[in-house]
Amino acid sequence: MLKEMQKAHEGYLTLRDQDVSRAQAFLLLTGLTVTAAEFKDVSPEEKNKRFTFMKCHLGHLLSGEVANVFMKPNACDDWNALERDLNTLVKGEYEPSSSNLHKQDIKKELRNVCQRAKQITLPKPQPQAPPNDGKMSEGFKTQDFLNLIKRLGLENYYPRKMGMADFHVIDKTSLHDSQPSAESELPFHFLQKLLMLDYRVRYLVCKDDCKTKQERTSALNTSSEVNEPSDETSDIYEDFLNDDEGTNESVTPRQTHVHPMDIQMAIFNCADDFMRQYLSTKLAFCQFALPLLVPNPCTSQIEFPLWSLTQVKKSWQHVEKSGEETSIKNYKNKLIYQADTPVVSFTRIGNSPHSSKSKILNALLSKHKHNIFFHRDCRGSSKDCLLMNGVVEISWYCPGGKDDDRFDSCIAFTNLHGDAREHEQQVRFLQEIASINVVLFTTSDENKIGKQIVSDFLKSPKPFVCLFTEKENIAAGKSNLNIKIGMKNRNEAELIDELSTTIKDLLAGSNPTCSLETCVEIAHQHGFLIDEDKEECKQAKLMAQTVMALFKENNLLGMKEKLLPLQGELWHKWCKKDKELTRVQDKRKRSIEQHRSQIESEKRAIRHDQIRRASSLNDLMRSVLEILQSHSETTKKYFLQWLKVFMDDLSSDRLAELRQKYHVLWSQLLEETDPGENGDSENVLKSNLETVSAEITASTIGLEHILREVAQIYEALGTLPQEDQHFLELPQIAADLMASGYPIELMDGDASYVPLKWVRAVFDKLTEKLGDKKVFVLSVLGIQSTGKSTLLNAMFGLQFSVSAGRCTRGAFMQLIKVDENLQRSLHIDYILVVDTEGLRAMELTSKSTLNHDNELATFVIGLGNMTLINIFGENPSEMQDVLQIAVQAFLRMKQVKLSPSCLFVHQNVGEITAKEQNMEGQRRLQQKLDEMTITAAQQEFCDVNRFSDVIRFDVNTHIHYFAHLWEGDPPMAPPNPSYSQNVQELKSKILMAATKESKGSVLRLSELRVRIGDLWKALLNENFVFSFKNTLEIAAYNRLETMFNQWTWQLRSHMLELQTKLNNRIKKREIQHVTRRDLEEEVKDKYHAIMNDTERFFTEDQNSEILIQWKASTENKLNDLKESLIDETKRKSEELIKLKKNQSKLVEKKSEYENELFKRSKELALRLKGEELSEAALEENFDGLWKRWVYEVSSDAPSAEEPDISMDVENILLQHFKQEPNIAEKIKSSSCKNSFSVDISKHIVLKKTLGIFHKTLDNCDIKNIEQVTVHIIELVKMNIDMKEQQRMDYNQSYIHEILNEIRREVDSAAKNSKYTFNNEYKIELSLYLCKMAAERFADMHRAFKNANDPTVYLGNKRDNFFKCFQISCQGATSITTFADFLCTKLSAALRQAVYDKTAIDIVNEMRSNYSAFNGNRSKLETSILISLAEEENFEKYRQYIHFPRDFLKSFIKKCVDDYCLDKKNPRLKNFLNISLDSFQTLVLSAIHDSTRVVKDKYGNVSLWLDEFCSRLGDYLDLPRSDLKSIEHQEIKDIEFLKEAMSKSFPPVLENLKQEFAVVDMEPLKLKPHKILFEQLCGCWEQCPFCKALCINTIPGHDGDHSVHFHRPQALNGTQWYGTDQLVIEICSSLVASDYFMVLCEKNQIPYKNYRQAGPAYANWSITADNSAQSYWKWFVSHFRSILEQDYCAKFEGKGAIPPEWGQIEKKTVISELKQL
């Protein structure tokens, strides 16, 4: 078996490379047939097991072609056929027949479905068969139905497989209003038109059907050309009349078009229960009759589709007469299946060629004869209707409470299609439920069955109306209940009047009424199938009833408070408190932070109260959550629908009464002519309005309230650390519902609040479920009750889940999927529609309406890519209200750099036909918009004069005029077709706008989650524009900073390496000058590579449209950095060249001495050559030569003039401080002082600030002064260190540099302080530092002299000269000594090269692996804060706060030392060894290559040294001139030299490694911490209030300075004016308050206007924000006593630390930081 499987695997791989389908077929065929025994076949049972296994695990992976074969129904019934098909697929020969086979399979499946349906019919008594042979014709009907299904392309949906998900998508039909071009397109075009409420959907035909007329004309033209004129008139006449179709062989039978009602019923038979419900709702809206009884096309089993009717709502006004009094009862949005109404049944007995029952019904129900029931004279009708025979349709007459109503009450009318004699089951059912039976009777076509039906009607106690189609005048009957009416030759209007009068009179008696709900039992008795009998539906209904039982245990008013306790008063109080956080006012004796802490405490208490109530979930919420989490998707859908029905039913009647009462009170209030004249009456009315409004809110209960409770459970439990994390699954419920197309509440309309944690969690779960899809957000805004929701429902099929009897509260969001084929062109995956509570909602009029409306408008407009502004009618005041709110919101978006677009929808403006009228309307709207823009701009302090300056707006294309919704007067009026056309045009416009939307503006789900938070947080503050933080923009900029850090390091590290190479070449005198052009050429390739990376980042990043605003600035900064690095490199190179030139005379002199000494050494060696001398003898001979030579050189060398550094210092100090008295004495007395310390009384002068002189300095000031002193001393020492490293000689200018440095730093330190340093301080500090510098300069001069004095130089070189002498004397045996000498030289060069390379490598690795350094400045700050908290060293905090630059240097140095010198992991040693290994490879390669070149050229040792030094020149400081002493050695065996070098080199490496094992960071000339500091320093500006450091990574960045989190001002020692109380306020809170900042005694400005305080404040962006870090609260609380001592102030009174701050733990703040 293993061999067989291996062989099969090879075959599969071979086929896979050719064709995936063939490979899959081979895999399946092998799986079915492979066996271990050679001659044994696989049994059918085994094949069945394998088939099931492969179908389960591979079915979803198969290509369409293979799936058609393998997944077809009953594939396992015929194994031979399946294996044959798979084999054909493997050979690639299956394609020609696959299509036909697929059709046969579908046909077979449909037949099987029909047969199975027959088998499961209920065993009820069957009615007698009609006279014709039904059994024989049944097969033909089934076949015709299957053919129809195929023609319509519905094979895959039958039976009952079409769900809302199949239709509820944005597809190509949404883009254009086009006719279907094929019959298979008819169903979805039908559904799209029905979606948009276009009753012309019943006239839908294919484009091909429109060609009939053209074909006819073409045929006429052809015949006129062919037929010649003839005189035989009689023949022509007879030919024309001849209708014998059978004689003309050329005539072919033509297939007729699909009957419109067949399209509707085919969809109905394919639709699942929820789709049927949707169909019925839309058909009812279009005033079409609905299917009541539907025969199964395959089995003739009759279905009573009650479920599909449960969402149909009707409104009417019922006239009730009580004696002489008449009253009208309103029914608004009544579920019609629950309504008890009379039922008038219409049936037909016999053929009636001249009279149509459906037409009579239409005339009876509709004044305009709207085709409620489809009839023979409707467009598209034909005799070939297949699916309507036996169907019973129902429609309702709904009176409008007017005098011309045909009937005074709601009446149901049923219509049996077809001859009643053929549908006895339907007739009996209708007879039983009907209040009146109306029969259209043709006596000439009567038979036994017809007579029996009429007799049954006559015997029934129910009224019977018989319409005789062939009689004119008929005598009145004997019974008042049996009415006869003749129809022949009757005027239709008179007939309808008589019929309606008759029905009205018959119903005036006590006739029975019934609802469809009560018809269920009757339907059961007749053996009908009822859709609600499905197990899932019954189970869901039972669960919903169980839930409703819990509601009914409470009265309506107290129901929500008891069963949904978390969202009532507690939630509203929490929302109010949360808003107070951002709108804190000056409380005089209390600080903002104290007030905020109290509010936070109160919020926590409310949450605790919520948790207490939620800890033991009540039965309602427990039941609902269990159902929503543990049942199938279908059961959940049924449950939610039932629950919605029951909940609406629970409150609808009471709400209708309350709203009527509210309306009356509102009308009375409006009638108050002079509001101030009758104040008491007005107040009473307002109080009553508030009471009724509160009762409306309390009585309103819907699904949204249950989900709102789930949200509150989640938010409340989320505030506490929980062991049980089950509550985290709650958002999944909402996410699943949202993904299924249910609307989810975004803004709680009752609290006017967004539960942000809940919404974010739902979006997280939604992203997990769907992926991070791109979403186009469409927001809708308008005055309440202006048809917004109706428009959305017509455009996208949305059913926003609002409670019975009220408008949408708050904002709801609903997802609509975009068809996969359309996603590519639209560049979006979903459309998210946000429907809003109507502006100026009636219940809210007595509250802060304007503010609420502005918040809502700003929120949804900011959220939307496009906003529909809905205007209804031409009421000027309403137009002005909505325009003003919308314009102000758009203006805010412009100010925060969001750019949504908008479309104006002007509804109910009449049929505008004249272009001039249209243009006038546009002109008026444009004028109004511009006026509103100017008004809004004044409020928002913005300079804008036209609406088109705010957003992209074209008055010609961005305004859509909508016709009236109804074609006539409701409630019986159908929708206006022009309205539907307007909907289609608007929908196309929206989708076309989506295609033009910029890539960056269409957000992904995760980004939309962030945007919701940004908008809501900003809205919580009073000043939206001032408070808005674009988190997506901030995140994008953070990524840019990280990338900028990488790019700058690539450039910097490249220049460091280039500097090393240049230094090596300059030292060897290979370069005499360096030009900018040379350096630019060196850096060109690297810079271009970085710029290419930059271009890719700005174009390919998913937020490229956000980033583009910084592209030019970033490129400029990179170019500036390149230029500055080139300048710095050029400067350093020129300094080194200058130094070398200054030393050139000395070098020439040394070279002259060296050559002379080499010459004499060589002469002595020649004289001694051949003698066997020991090393001691050689040493003795050389020593004599050396002494004579040194004596000669020292005698000839001129004596150097020694500088008097002490005198220079004294003279320069006298000149520098010549204005100061007694300076000479001070200089003289300072000579005995070896230290300096600050004397506050002597050195410091206090300034006058805020109009007062400070009497004393606090401890912090003293510490800062000491720190300034230390800082200056360190700077001077670093300056001297640098000169010592460069081995420079002393120069008087160095003293001037020190004095200028001191002056500069002292002036800078005193700039923003309350003190200044006097001259005494400057003098004493200067004297001390100059004295210290003089001593070091003296040492530096001696070192320089030793390095450059020929005598000293030669003395240091004695050993080298002796080695050369020894080599010359030894001859051929000197190769080893030569190699040792060269390796000694290499050792020093390698050491320094390794150190330089290691420094750069350390920086590289730490930038990659060390978390503090591998991001932007913000990440570095976070790491610093964590480090400080862990150490808890206040002195380090002090340095961080007041001297951030110094702190960062020390922090980076400590990080580098800790990283490199860790004893457990000695990384420095590893770095050094790795660098050494790289140079080892380089040196060995140079030895090998040099040897090869010299051998090829037959060169000598000198050439070998040239080649060797040349190859290492860029990497090692190994001057060729240092090897002159050995270049003349007579070494002829170059190969032997290579071997000697290879042997001498490893000991050098080993010695270096031993040295590196114990080395620290000191020998590294390039200091890694300094390189890192230069790379990471960023911006150094500090917040003028709290000293927080600007977190921008880019030095000299564009725009304002900013920080993520500000600090309490106590850190800076700030005190409340006139007190010693420290300020604990945080800048981001102060700028949102009404507090004042005191600049001086007479100058105070509001913190809100802080930018006006001067340049130090103007360039800072401090955003109002209540999300301050707990870190600094912990710090203030933890170091309270030290801060009080430092600043000589107290945390008391207004500066008292809130108790909550003391409860914050260190681990909490560190954890918070790590999550950033």
Side-chain angles (χ1 to χ4, degrees), residues 291 469 535 741 1013 1120 1263 1292 1357:
T469 61
E535 188 57 38
D1120 292 345
K1263 294 278 187 182
Q1292 287 186 0
K1357 292 280 187 177

Side-chain angles (χ1 to χ4, degrees), residues 93 195 475 556 586 690 766 830 852 898 950 965 1023 1082 1121 1156 1220 1353 1562 1598 1679:
E93 300 169 357
L195 162 73
L556 191 60
D586 189 349
E690 286 287 347
L766 193 64
Y830 286 88
H852 170 270
L898 297 182
V950 179
L965 172 60
N1023 190 331
E1082 289 283 351
L1121 177 65
E1156 184 62 28
E1220 297 297 323
Y1353 172 77
E1562 192 60 34
D1598 295 332
F1679 292 105

Side-chain angles (χ1 to χ4, degrees), residues 183-444:
E183 289 180 337
S184 60
E185 295 179 5
L186 283 169
F188 285 94
H189 274 76
F190 179 93
L191 289 170
Q192 280 293 332
K193 285 192 172 294
L194 189 62
L195 162 73
M196 287 181 283
L197 311 176
D198 189 350
Y199 69 69
R200 295 172 301 182
V201 64
R202 279 188 170 170
Y203 313 139
L204 193 64
V205 292
C206 292
K207 286 181 180 177
D208 294 343
D209 295 339
C210 302
K211 297 177 182 177
T212 308
K213 184 176 179 181
Q214 296 174 3
E215 290 171 359
R216 238 185 249 128
T217 307
S218 176
L220 181 63
N221 293 338
T222 305
S223 63
S224 64
E225 290 173 9
V226 174
N227 295 336
E228 295 180 4
S230 173
D231 294 333
E232 299 177 3
T233 307
S234 59
D235 293 341
I236 294 172
Y237 176 73
E238 289 176 6
D239 287 343
F240 177 71
L241 294 180
N242 185 6
D243 59 354
D244 186 1
E245 296 177 7
T247 59
N248 190 353
E249 296 179 1
S250 63
V251 176
T252 56
R254 184 173 64 88
Q255 188 180 46
T256 58
H257 68 265
V258 180
H259 193 284
M261 292 306 293
D262 280 345
I263 301 173
Q264 177 182 314
M265 293 312 296
I267 295 171
F268 190 84
N269 281 289
C270 290
D272 67 10
D273 285 343
F274 303 99
M275 185 69 173
R276 284 186 172 190
Q277 207 173 63
Y278 170 80
L279 279 171
S280 297
T281 306
K282 288 292 182 180
L283 288 169
F285 200 97
C286 291
Q287 297 295 356
F288 287 144
L290 309 177
L292 180 66
L293 297 179
V294 182
N296 188 300
C298 295
T299 67
S300 296
Q301 174 67 49
I302 295 172
E303 183 180 3
F304 180 59
L306 179 62
W307 170 264
S308 66
L309 303 172
T310 53
Q311 287 296 303
V312 176
K313 295 179 180 179
K314 294 282 184 179
S315 300
W316 69 90
Q317 292 184 325
H318 176 59
V319 177
E320 292 181 343
K321 294 182 179 179
S322 177
E324 295 182 0
E325 292 185 5
T326 302
S327 62
I328 296 177
K329 187 174 182 181
N330 287 318
Y331 294 87
K332 188 172 182 182
N333 292 325
K334 175 79 174 175
L335 289 172
I336 200 65
Y337 89 104
Q338 295 177 337
D340 277 315
T341 63
V343 178
V344 180
S345 168
F346 274 71
T347 54
R348 171 171 60 83
I349 298 175
N351 292 318
S352 175
H354 304 296
S355 300
S356 168
K357 166 172 47 68
S358 296
K359 282 184 74 174
I360 293 170
L361 273 168
N362 292 340
L364 193 64
L365 296 177
S366 172
K367 294 176 187 176
H368 302 287
K369 298 183 182 179
H370 173 61
N371 292 322
I372 297 171
F373 295 93
F374 198 87
H375 56 84
R376 66 184 66 165
D377 294 329
C378 288
R379 192 191 313 167
S381 181
S382 68
K383 295 178 181 179
D384 302 316
C385 186
L386 183 65
L387 300 180
M388 285 303 291
N389 196 27
V391 172
V392 176
E393 290 187 303
I394 187 169
S395 186
W396 291 265
Y397 180 85
C398 297
K402 299 176 184 176
D403 293 337
D404 59 348
D405 286 339
R406 190 152 272 147
F407 303 102
D408 295 331
S409 60
C410 181
I411 304 172
F413 288 85
T414 64
N415 181 14
L416 171 61
H417 289 269
D419 195 332
R421 296 173 297 182
E422 300 174 6
H423 308 293
E424 190 171 347
Q425 278 184 290
Q426 290 93 317
V427 171
R428 287 184 179 180
F429 173 79
L430 291 172
Q431 187 177 353
E432 198 165 340
I433 69 168
S435 306
I436 301 174
N437 289 295
V438 180
V439 174
L440 194 70
F441 190 40
T442 304
T443 53
S444 62

Side-chain angles (χ1 to χ4, degrees), residues 157 172 1043 1533:
Y157 299 106
K172 63 178 182 180
M1043 292 304 299
D1533 191 347

